């Protein structure tokens, strides 16, 4: 499994290069857990100048490309609600 730092670096690089904007920053970083307590993914939101700038959903379940969902325009599920996906 990747470390939190590796996951956040991967997601940030994806957002900055896809939008060709190095001023995009991580806003929030949420670990997602399975019922066994193991990390199954990451929900990462981004901001630019204090405004939502997208999100990524990374999955560690399949062992393939971890990027399973993203948006450049919104932060998707509000981060405060992401805890309901944990365990």
């Amino acid at each position: 499994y990747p470390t939190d730092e590796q996951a956040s670096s991967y997601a940030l690089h994806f957002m900055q290069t896809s939008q060709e904007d190095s001023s995009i920053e991580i806003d929030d970083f949420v670990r997602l857990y399975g019922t066994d307590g193991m990390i199954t993914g990451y929900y990462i939101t981004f901001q630019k100048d204090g405004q939502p700038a997208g999100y990524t959903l990374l999955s560690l379940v399949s062992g393939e490309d971890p990027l399973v969902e993203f948006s450049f325009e919104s932060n998707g599920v509000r981060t405060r609600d992401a805890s309901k996906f944990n365990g």
Side-chain angles (χ1 to χ4, degrees):
Y1 290 115
T3 64
D4 289 354
E5 182 177 318
Q6 290 169 324
S8 61
S9 292
Y10 177 88
L12 183 59
H13 181 264
F14 170 79
M15 292 301 281
Q16 289 178 340
T17 57
S18 296
Q19 298 188 68
E20 298 180 351
D21 190 340
S22 62
S23 65
I24 293 171
E25 300 174 332
I26 291 177
D27 185 41
D28 202 5
F29 181 91
V30 178
R31 288 176 209 90
L32 304 175
Y33 295 89
T35 56
D36 60 359
M38 299 295 292
I39 295 175
T40 58
Y42 299 95
Y43 179 74
I44 305 167
T45 60
F46 301 88
Q47 62 92 21
K48 178 181 175 179
D49 301 326
Q51 297 299 313
Y55 73 94
T56 58
L57 179 60
L58 305 179
S59 173
L60 305 178
V61 176
S62 72
E64 296 179 15
D65 186 351
L67 184 62
V68 295
E69 187 175 314
F70 66 91
S71 172
F72 298 134
E73 299 177 359
S74 75
N75 282 357
V77 177
R78 301 311 268 170
T79 305
R80 67 178 182 274
D81 296 331
S83 62
K84 66 184 165 190
F85 296 115
N86 292 333

